[in-house]
Amino acid sequence: MTTLSTARRLTVHPLRAEAVRGFAPWAGAAVVLTLGVLLAGSSARWQGGWAETAAELHNSQLIVVPLAAAAGCWQGGRERRRRTGELLTTAVRAPLTRFLASALPAALWVAAGQLVAAGLALLATWPYAHGDRPHLALLPADLVASAAAVLAGHVVGRAVPSRLAAPLLAMAGYVGLGILAVSREGSGRHLNPAFPVGDTSVPVWWQPAAMAVWTAGPAAAAVLAYTVRRRTSALLPLAAATAAGALLVQTGDGLWHSDPLARRQVCDTSVTPAICVSARYSGLLPQVTEALSGITGKLEGVRNLPVRWEDRPGEPRADEAQLPMLTPLGWSLVRGRLTDPEQYAREAVGSLQVRGDCLEKQLDARVLRVDDAVQAYLAPSPLQKALDDADARGDEAHRAELRKRLAARARLAAMSDEERRDWLSAYMAARGSCRPSEVPAL
């Protein structure tokens, strides 16, 4: 009795043995390390935005899927490298059981590694996110695609007698997915599990499920065709994949729509113009308001101003001015902080001065000097002195133009508060109506 109990304790299920020892855990660690390096190198462009983090994680499929296929291929060729293939054919277990005992642990470890990396990325974003919510819709389909790549790669590793099969498969997968990723035409590009998405794109509710069936179906069909005697059993997952693929192709661009939150604005109406930011970054409104506080304070009482600064793509409406864009992350905004509030304020002043399609009509030397004076008054910059010094060291034409600019700045600064408000009101009226000839002189 004691011997029987001891034997039961010593008997370890093959799946457990493969899962805790051998190559499978290393495959999962390789995915975590690879994603960690990729995400760390690009952290400035995603850390601080939930949508940006989700897009970065999904777009990394271009690397993860080929890596997963190579891992499965290497695991599949293990018995050939050990010269134990013939020995395994004498085992009592069915070929499918033996295949899954070797392939499933690697697939699960790769998916687990990807899930761990995604969790770490979400944790890294959480302290810096200023609105929105985590976007997780694409993650399950991405995990299925990576696990399916391991199974398909395992079949290739069993079938192709070469140590070069794994690296060649990874290279072919990377090139193939890359070509599909850069394709801009044809609905077939939507079959790509690494289809690049933007940070404002949201999939329809069934797209991740259809993509999971599309990627898992061919892998399951390949496994069944390789391991079972009745090859017709592979037709069922292949038919499911075909149906899912047809649905993805027929829907095409309709698979994606704009995030409704990206179209919403959150505004501070206590100042004029009002300051509005995208609802995705609603928590940044106090920071943006503080950056523009010097401008709004000086514009108090000025007439003919736009109703608001708005933060959305495209041309602003007639009564609006474009707020400097917070996206893409990594430029004006990094990890939830404005990188240069002074430059941000100067760009906001520029949007008050030039609106719509008036730029070409306003490239007049006199008007540009007036614009410079307004810019220097509303949002002075330390860089301006360096630019002035460069002109002072230039030829006579540059020095003469510099003297005119300095004189215009001095005249605007020397005005009384009431006189300056009236002048700025006339200036904003001329600028807003695109009539440079009516810009008041300085």
Side-chain angles (χ1 to χ4, degrees):
M1 188 70 176
T2 304
T3 304
L4 182 59
S5 299
T6 303
R8 286 177 178 173
R9 286 196 302 270
L10 293 176
T11 300
V12 180
H13 194 279
L15 273 177
R16 183 183 174 206
E18 291 282 358
V20 299
R21 293 191 295 270
F23 176 73
W26 290 104
V31 171
V32 173
L33 180 61
T34 302
L35 277 177
V37 172
L38 289 174
L39 293 172
S42 60
S43 60
R45 71 177 184 226
W46 59 264
Q47 193 175 9
W50 290 120
E52 288 81 0
T53 302
E56 195 72 20
L57 286 170
H58 172 75
N59 294 338
S60 66
Q61 286 289 93
L62 182 62
I63 301 297
V64 175
V65 170
L67 177 63
C73 186
W74 185 258
Q75 177 77 340
R78 178 184 61 178
E79 310 308 335
R80 184 180 297 106
R81 294 192 302 272
R82 293 178 177 178
R83 295 184 174 87
T84 58
E86 293 184 4
L87 179 62
L88 283 179
T89 59
T90 63
V92 295
R93 290 188 175 91
L96 178 59
T97 303
R98 296 198 304 269
F99 182 96
L100 294 179
S102 176
L104 274 182
L108 294 175
W109 268 105
V110 165
Q114 189 174 5
L115 185 61
V116 168
L120 293 175
L122 292 172
L123 286 175
T125 290
W126 175 68
Y128 306 107
H130 287 281
D132 206 352
R133 66 197 184 286
H135 293 239
L136 303 176
L138 295 175
L139 184 57
D142 291 346
L143 298 179
V144 171
S146 300
V150 174
L151 296 178
H154 202 91
V155 174
V156 175
R158 291 269 184 110
V160 179
S162 173
R163 289 177 178 267
L164 295 177
L168 290 177
L169 182 61
M171 188 180 302
Y174 177 76
V175 172
L177 292 178
I179 291 174
L180 288 174
V182 299
S183 174
R184 300 298 180 187
E185 296 181 358
S187 297
R189 71 188 190 278
H190 295 290
L191 298 176
N192 182 8
F195 179 78
V197 300
D199 53 28
T200 60
S201 298
V202 178
V204 295
W205 65 269
W206 52 265
Q207 189 272 349
M211 181 59 70
V213 174
W214 161 247
T215 55
V223 171
L224 293 174
Y226 182 78
T227 58
V228 301
R229 290 183 178 180
R230 293 184 178 180
R231 304 289 176 84
T232 55
S233 61
L235 295 178
L236 181 60
L238 201 57
T242 302
L247 183 60
L248 292 171
V249 168
Q250 289 177 1
T251 308
D253 293 333
L255 292 168
W256 307 90
H257 58 86
S258 298
D259 186 354
L261 202 62
R263 298 193 295 267
R264 281 182 49 205
Q265 300 274 292
V266 178
C267 301
D268 181 354
T269 57
S270 64
V271 293
T272 303
I275 300 171
C276 301
V277 300
S278 170
R280 292 171 56 199
Y281 311 103
S282 57
L284 287 174
L285 186 56
Q287 192 179 152
V288 173
T289 301
E290 175 62 25
L292 301 182
S293 60
I295 302 171
T296 53
K298 293 173 182 176
L299 290 177
E300 187 174 355
V302 175
R303 303 178 301 279
N304 305 317
L305 293 171
V307 174
R308 66 183 66 83
W309 273 296
E310 53 89 13
D311 174 32
R312 54 174 166 245
E315 287 292 328
R317 298 167 187 166
D319 58 347
E320 296 177 340
Q322 176 71 58
L323 195 69
M325 295 298 293
L326 297 172
T327 57
L329 300 187
W331 296 91
S332 297
L333 186 67
V334 175
R335 296 181 183 89
R337 301 296 302 176
L338 292 175
T339 55
D340 190 344
E342 291 182 349
Q343 179 61 26
Y344 189 83
R346 286 180 65 83
E347 292 177 6
V349 171
S351 70
L352 292 177
Q353 295 175 311
V354 180
R355 284 178 276 164
D357 58 353
C358 301
L359 181 60
E360 293 184 0
K361 302 179 182 179
Q362 299 175 350
L363 295 179
D364 176 83
R366 181 189 71 84
V367 175
L368 291 177
R369 283 194 294 272
V370 174
D371 287 345
D372 173 78
V374 174
Q375 182 80 254
Y377 170 70
L378 293 178
S381 170
L383 294 177
Q384 190 61 56
K385 186 178 185 305
L387 295 174
D388 292 344
D389 291 342
D391 285 340
R393 293 190 296 269
D395 56 23
E396 180 56 32
H398 284 85
R399 291 196 297 271
E401 183 61 29
L402 174 61
R403 287 192 294 270
K404 293 178 182 178
R405 290 205 307 268
L406 293 176
R409 294 177 201 169
R411 284 193 289 272
L412 181 59
M415 292 180 182
S416 66
D417 291 343
E418 183 176 355
E419 183 183 7
R420 190 185 301 113
R421 281 194 295 271
D422 292 338
W423 187 92
L424 285 173
S425 298
Y427 170 84
M428 291 297 174
R431 281 316 229 167
S433 60
C434 197
R435 295 193 297 270
S437 60
E438 297 181 10
V439 171
L442 274 177

